[in-house]
């Protein structure tokens, strides 16, 4: 059986897609090949995203936002876009999903509290996806 591959995509690849990739690495270990990218990558990983992940044992040190690599995209099994702003043209053989993650700032919640809520929303989705990729239900 081949190792399934997942590419998490958001616009800047500085926050939500980095969070999803880090959380998937933690949840699935070596059983899933994990990547992240942005449609318009920023210069750095969001500091509050990194801080919120450190609280749950995920270290983003050394991660940098990056664009979508067409060669990588051509061999990915699952493309997960986070938010409605990030779009990726469909490719044959890949499963595409969009996760419209919780956005606490729309309710006036900002800072680290916002990032924790975003992290928890993404973590629940990652756990469900990891379970599907392992062929288990939890």
């Amino acid at each position: 059986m081949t190792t399934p591959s997942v590419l998490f995509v958001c616009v800047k690849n500085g926050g939500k897609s980095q969070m999803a990739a880090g959380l998937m690495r933690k949840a699935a270990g070596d059983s899933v090949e994990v990547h992240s990218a942005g449609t318009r990558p920023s210069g750095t990983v969001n500091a509050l995203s990194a801080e919120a992940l450190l609280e749950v044992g995920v270290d983003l040190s050394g991660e940098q936002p990056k664009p979508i690599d067409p060669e990588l995209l051509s061999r990915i099994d699952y493309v997960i876009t986070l938010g409605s702003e990030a779009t990726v043209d469909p490719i044959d053989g890949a499963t595409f999903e969009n996760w419209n993650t919780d956005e606490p700032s729309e309710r006036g919640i900002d800072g680290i509290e916002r990032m924790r809520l975003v992290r928890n929303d993404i973590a629940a989705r990652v756990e469900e996806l990891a379970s599907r990729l392992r062929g288990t239900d939890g």
Side-chain angles (χ1 to χ4, degrees):
M1 181 174 160
T2 61
T3 303
S5 55
V6 179
L7 173 64
F8 293 101
V9 179
C10 68
V11 174
K12 294 181 181 180
N13 189 226
K16 292 177 181 176
S17 58
Q18 290 281 355
M19 292 178 103
L23 289 163
M24 179 60 83
R25 287 184 190 103
K26 180 181 180 187
D30 293 337
S31 68
V32 176
E33 179 186 334
V34 181
H35 303 275
S36 72
T39 57
R40 291 188 311 272
S42 63
T44 60
V45 171
N46 180 292
L48 289 175
S49 295
E51 181 181 338
L53 284 182
L54 268 177
E55 293 176 348
V56 296
V58 176
D59 188 356
L60 292 182
S61 297
E63 293 293 334
Q64 291 294 318
K66 53 200 151 300
I68 298 171
D69 176 351
E71 189 280 323
L72 174 68
L73 183 61
S74 72
R75 62 180 182 79
I76 288 292
D77 299 313
Y78 292 84
V79 177
I80 311 295
T81 53
L82 290 98
S84 59
E85 299 84 22
T87 59
V88 179
D89 291 332
I91 56 169
D92 289 338
T95 299
F96 280 72
E97 293 181 24
N98 178 261
W99 294 352
N100 281 316
T101 58
D102 178 45
E103 187 43 70
S105 63
E106 293 174 358
R107 300 186 308 276
I109 303 169
D110 290 310
I112 192 64
E113 183 180 359
R114 171 185 175 260
M115 282 304 164
R116 288 176 180 139
L117 292 168
V118 169
R119 175 199 65 205
N120 294 345
D121 181 66
I122 293 172
R125 295 167 189 263
V126 163
E127 287 294 334
E128 190 276 329
L129 177 60
S131 179
R132 277 191 284 146
L133 295 177
R134 288 189 300 261
T136 64
D137 54 8

